[in-house]
């Protein structure tokens, strides 16, 4: 079985992916994915948006590599859980086409409103799991 889990940043896709991977004894795969911007907090606590190092061409190459490996990974591990934002059409379609020839593929899309995603990001930061910017601060920084 291959399960694709997608959604916006902060939607909870990694929480679900980790739980499913554990329950199914599946291999968890997280392609390097990015929403196109990195958020940088300066010394004054202000957030600034900067273009991400992963553009469409790089994401396409990353997903082409994963697509080539997917049948082998599926044979080796049985169950796979692939988690990512999957917001870029061409890189997303590369993975979906590769999975199409394999049996038992499930796609889960997680919807989340901005407030819930913001709370999740702030909670992760409070737990010491990294520095996260909220979706509302991204929108403000990009204006």
């Amino acid at each position: 079985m291959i399960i694709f889990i997608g959604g916006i940043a902060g939607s909870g896709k990694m929480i679900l992916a980790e739980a499913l991977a554990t329950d199914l004894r599946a291999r968890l795969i997280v392609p390097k994915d990015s929403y196109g911007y990195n958020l940088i907090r300066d010394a004054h606590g202000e957030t600034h948006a900067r273009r991400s190092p992963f553009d469409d061409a790089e994401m396409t190459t990353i997903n082409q590599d994963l697509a080539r490996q997917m049948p082998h990974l599926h044979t080796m591990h049985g169950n796979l859980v692939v988690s990512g934002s999957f917001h870029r059409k061409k890189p997303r379609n590369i993975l979906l086409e590769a999975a199409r020839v394999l049996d038992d593929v499930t796609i889960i899309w997680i919807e989340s409103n901005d407030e819930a995603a913001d709370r999740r990001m702030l909670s992760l930061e409070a737990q010491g799991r990294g520095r996260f910017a909220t979706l509302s601060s991204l929108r403000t920084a990009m204006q």
Side-chain angles (χ1 to χ4, degrees):
M1 174 187 319
I2 299 176
I3 301 172
F4 288 93
I5 301 174
I8 65 168
S11 63
K13 60 189 170 293
M14 276 305 298
I15 293 168
L16 178 60
E18 289 170 348
L20 283 173
T22 299
D23 288 351
L24 298 172
R25 292 189 175 132
R27 171 77 181 217
L28 177 60
I29 300 170
V30 183
K32 297 292 184 193
D33 205 348
S34 174
Y35 282 85
Y37 289 90
N38 285 333
L39 294 176
I40 308 300
R41 288 192 184 160
D42 64 22
H44 305 289
E46 293 186 25
T47 304
H48 306 277
R50 184 177 71 188
R51 278 302 288 166
S52 166
F54 293 110
D55 61 17
D56 280 349
E58 290 167 310
M59 284 308 306
T60 297
T61 300
I62 290 168
N63 284 358
Q64 285 170 334
D65 289 343
L66 177 56
R68 277 191 291 276
Q69 296 174 35
M70 199 174 296
H72 176 69
L73 291 169
H74 189 261
T75 300
M76 269 181 40
H77 300 285
N79 296 326
L80 303 175
V81 176
V82 184
S83 176
S85 67
F86 303 123
H87 66 287
R88 296 178 185 189
K89 186 176 182 177
K90 184 176 180 182
R92 174 184 66 233
N93 286 345
I94 290 167
L95 292 180
L96 294 178
E97 284 300 315
R100 188 178 303 245
V101 299
L102 302 171
D103 292 332
D104 203 9
V105 175
T106 301
I107 300 170
I108 300 170
W109 185 261
I110 300 176
E111 295 286 335
S112 179
N113 63 34
D114 288 357
E115 294 79 22
D118 285 353
R119 281 193 307 275
R120 199 168 289 109
M121 297 286 208
L122 293 171
S123 172
L124 289 171
E125 190 169 296
Q127 295 171 27
R129 294 180 64 181
R131 291 182 56 108
F132 298 91
T134 62
L135 291 174
S136 55
S137 65
L138 174 60
R139 285 192 179 88
T140 301
M142 291 175 60
Q143 291 177 353

